[in-house]
Amino acid sequence: MKRIAVLTSGGDAPGMNAAIRAVVRKAISEGMEVYGINYGYAGMVAGDIHKLDSASVGDKVGRGGTFLYSARYPEFAQLEGQLAGIEQLKKFGIEGVVVIGGDGSYHGAMRLTEHGFPAVGLPGTIDNDIVGTDYTIGFDTAVTTAVDAIDKIRDTSSSHHRTFIVEVMGRNAGDIALWAGIASGADDICIPEKEFKFENIVNNIKKGYEKGKNHHIIVIAEGVMHGEEFAKRLKEAGDDSDLRVSVLGHIQRGGSPTVRDRVIASRMGARAVELLRDGIGGVAVGIHNEELVESKILGTAEEGALFSLTSDGGITVNNPHKAGEELYK
Ligand code: F6P
C-alpha cells in the first residue's frame, strides 16, 4: 500500500493528535504517502482531503482536540454516503484509511473495508466505552480533568458544609464517573451499570454530617440521569442538606493529553500503519494488559469480532464492555 489517509470522527478526545502524528510519521518511515481527511466521514464525502508531511504533525503530540477536525456524520451509515466517500478516496489514489473515533466510526471503517478500502479503527473517545480495548485514547485525560475539578469543588463543599452532585460525561458508560469518583474520594458514585437507591444516598449524607464530615460529594455519570433531576429525586427521598449541582461538561474533552494518552495513542497509531502496510483492514486496535491487540470489527461472536449483523440489518455488540480474555485469544 503506497497511499493511506487518516481521519478523526465523532466527539474529539485528547490524544487524537498524538495518534494522527504517529500514523503520519510511521507511514512516511514505511515509504507511504499520507493524506489527512478533515471533519471525519463528512470531509471524506466532501473531498476535504489534503496531503500531510512530517512537518504537518510537528508540535501536535501534546495538543488537545484534533487538528483534522471532527464531525458526527450518520449519513455514512447509508450506502449512498459510503459510495460518495469512496469516489473521493479513488480520486486521491488512497488505498487504506485509519479511522480514529468511537464505535460509530468503526462501522464506517468496516463498510470501507467491505468496499475494498482496508480501514483500521483506533479507539478515540473519552468515554472508554469501546469493546476490544481496556482503555480508549482520551479517557485518562478526561478523568484527570474531572478529578482536578472535583478537588476544587470539594473546597467549596467543605467551606460551606454543602453536598455536591457532580455530573460527568461518559454517554451510557460509567467509567469516567467511577474512576474520577474513586480518585477524588467521592462519598457516593452512581453509574448506569449498577443500581442504587436514593434512600441509601440520603442516609449516607446524613450519617456523614452527623459524624462531623464537612462535605459530601456525589459523582454521577450522565448516563444515570441529569444532575438537576438527580437533585430533585434526592430531595424527594428526604435529603435536607444544602445541595448544589455541578455539571462538568465539555471541559472533560479538552486540554493537553496526559502522558498515558499520548503514549497509547502513539503506539496504536503506529500499529494501525503496520496493519495497513500488510494489507489488513476491518480490524480495530486496542490495548489489553498493556499489550496492543487487534480485533475483527465485524463477524461472528465465535470469531471474536466486536460486532455482528442481525438478520434485520441491525448491529449487535458481541462482547460486553471490556470483554474478558476470550476476546483476545
Ligand atoms: O462521546 C463523547 C461525549 O463527550 C460523551 O461523553 C457525551 O455524551 C457526548 O460526547 C456529547 O456530545 P456532543 O459534544 O456532541 O454534545
Side-chain angles (χ1 to χ4, degrees):
M1 206 173 280
K2 281 276 154 243
R3 188 175 290 178
I4 65 168
V6 55
L7 62 83
T8 47
S9 164
D12 66 321
M16 281 181 160
N17 282 327
I20 300 165
R21 170 182 174 273
V23 168
V24 171
R25 297 255 165 104
K26 175 71 176 170
I28 290 171
S29 78
E30 293 284 342
M32 298 174 180
E33 287 182 333
V34 196
Y35 280 70
I37 302 177
N38 286 339
Y39 299 103
Y41 293 112
M44 182 187 287
V45 168
D48 192 352
I49 300 172
H50 51 100
K51 192 163 182 209
L52 297 171
D53 57 22
S54 199
S56 329
V57 290
D59 196 19
K60 293 284 192 287
V61 71
R63 297 201 181 239
T66 160
F67 83 94
L68 289 180
Y69 313 105
S70 194
R72 302 192 194 280
Y73 191 66
E75 291 86 338
F76 206 75
Q78 306 305 319
L79 181 64
E80 207 184 348
Q82 294 154 22
L83 295 179
I86 283 165
E87 202 180 308
Q88 295 295 340
L89 294 181
K90 282 185 180 158
K91 207 159 103 186
F92 285 85
I94 291 161
E95 298 162 284
V97 185
V98 179
V99 172
I100 308 167
D103 51 12
S105 317
Y106 281 13
H107 299 155
M110 195 60 224
R111 297 281 96 85
L112 288 174
T113 306
E114 286 166 352
H115 291 302
F117 290 84
V120 173
L122 299 186
T125 167
I126 62 166
D127 299 335
N128 207 35
D129 61 349
I130 308 282
V131 291
T133 189
D134 294 347
Y135 296 105
T136 56
I137 297 166
F139 172 67
D140 189 59
T141 309
V143 169
T144 303
T145 302
V147 169
D148 184 49
I150 297 167
D151 285 348
K152 288 177 174 136
I153 288 170
R154 181 191 295 277
D155 290 345
T156 300
S157 181
S158 302
S159 304
H160 290 265
H161 274 69
R162 273 183 190 161
T163 303
F164 267 87
I165 295 165
V166 184
E167 179 193 315
V168 299
M169 280 187 168
R171 205 176 288 278
N172 300 314
D175 292 45
I176 296 178
L178 192 60
W179 282 63
I182 290 171
S184 62
D187 301 278
D188 290 291
I189 303 170
C190 297
I191 57 174
E193 294 86 347
K194 195 160 170 28
E195 280 182 23
F196 65 91
K197 289 197 168 71
F198 282 100
E199 292 72 24
N200 293 347
I201 298 175
V202 170
N203 285 338
N204 207 14
I205 296 170
K206 282 196 176 127
K207 269 198 260 157
Y209 288 133
E210 277 163 18
K211 270 197 302 190
K213 283 185 85 162
N214 56 5
H215 61 262
H216 195 97
I217 307 273
I218 308 164
V219 175
I220 68 161
E222 64 175 351
V224 170
M225 67 185 71
H226 286 306
E228 289 296 346
E229 172 66 14
F230 193 97
K232 194 167 146 264
R233 303 273 295 272
L234 208 57
K235 287 291 168 202
E236 284 166 2
D239 173 58
D240 60 0
S241 67
D242 188 7
L243 183 64
R244 295 289 189 280
V245 177
S246 187
V247 180
L248 297 191
H250 287 81
I251 63 160
Q252 294 159 98
R253 288 241 296 263
S256 177
T258 58
V259 169
R260 180 168 176 81
D261 275 332
R262 295 180 199 197
V263 171
I264 65 167
S266 302
R267 291 177 68 194
M268 289 177 177
R271 175 61 64 87
V273 172
E274 286 167 359
L275 289 165
L276 289 180
R277 177 199 63 199
D278 298 341
I280 299 169
V283 298
V285 177
I287 190 158
H288 180 57
N289 293 338
E290 301 305 318
E291 296 289 335
L292 292 182
V293 290
E294 290 107 39
S295 314
K296 270 186 86 167
I297 298 176
L298 200 64
T300 64
E302 291 70 37
E303 291 167 334
L306 304 180
F307 305 96
S308 288
L309 284 182
T310 56
S311 52
D312 59 358
I315 288 180
T316 315
V317 180
N318 287 331
N319 301 286
H321 182 205
K322 288 196 202 125
E325 294 295 320
E326 72 277 6
L327 180 61
Y328 303 99
K329 274 181 190 156

